[in-house]
Amino acid sequence: VKDSYKKTESLSMVDLLQNDMDNQLQAQHLHQACGQSLNCCTYSKGYINQAVFACLTCNNQNDSGDNESKIDNATLSGFCLGCSMHCHLEHDIIELWQKRAFKCDCGNAKFKGCAQSDCVLTNEPKTDTNE
């Protein structure tokens, strides 16, 4: 979870504590909703209903501060919650919400040449890609 303030802003201690509490609550809700799926890639489970994320860092779409206007949905690759927490943790990611019949793309051909080209949660070769 990234901080929601800019480096040039000044914040009070109350603001920092509130931001930290919001981040902790968000992490607790994620853990309750996902259980053990935080530590595994869902690729081996096949096409399932799951929360899907996209990485702006790996798609070289975070050069300007205005990510929303630059997003090219045709080039975005999706991945599961586990990969968002392990493979792309320090990257600029967006949540695409729940998707039906989705298979994790992290580490497949869509990620070749990206900042994180391999999935760190599985050694299984990923040959399938979502269209």
Side-chain angles (χ1 to χ4, degrees):
V1 178
K2 292 195 175 199
D3 294 327
S4 60
Y5 60 89
K6 296 177 182 173
K7 293 179 181 179
T8 58
E9 293 180 21
S10 63
L11 297 172
S12 70
M13 185 55 98
V14 172
D15 292 334
L16 287 173
L17 290 173
Q18 182 62 45
N19 191 25
D20 186 54
M21 188 157 93
D22 291 344
N23 288 343
Q24 288 178 14
L25 287 173
Q26 187 177 11
Q28 287 173 352
H29 290 301
L30 271 174
H31 181 68
Q32 289 171 352
C34 304
Q36 296 300 319
S37 66
L38 290 174
N39 296 317
C40 65
C41 176
T42 61
Y43 181 83
S44 63
K45 296 179 180 180
Y47 291 93
I48 61 171
N49 296 348
Q50 62 181 311
V52 177
F53 301 84
C55 184
L56 300 177
T57 303
C58 288
N59 285 286
N60 296 318
Q61 295 184 348
N62 63 346
D63 297 335
S64 73
D66 187 16
N67 288 333
E68 299 301 322
S69 65
K70 287 187 70 181
I71 295 174
D72 179 6
N73 291 333
T75 63
L76 281 178
S77 303
F79 47 86
C80 67
L81 177 64
C83 289
S84 76
M85 300 302 284
H86 292 275
C87 305
H88 303 270
L89 184 60
E90 298 297 322
H91 297 184
D92 189 12
I93 63 171
I94 55 174
E95 184 175 3
L96 302 177
W97 305 104
Q98 291 282 333
K99 301 293 178 193
R100 287 185 226 139
F102 184 84
K103 194 170 193 177
C104 182
D105 281 329
C106 181
N108 70 14
K110 290 184 176 183
F111 281 89
K112 295 303 174 209
C114 295
Q116 180 65 42
S117 61
D118 296 319
C119 178
V120 300
L121 293 176
T122 183
N123 292 328
E124 180 180 352
K126 294 184 173 184
T127 56
D128 294 341
T129 58
N130 291 289
E131 297 300 325

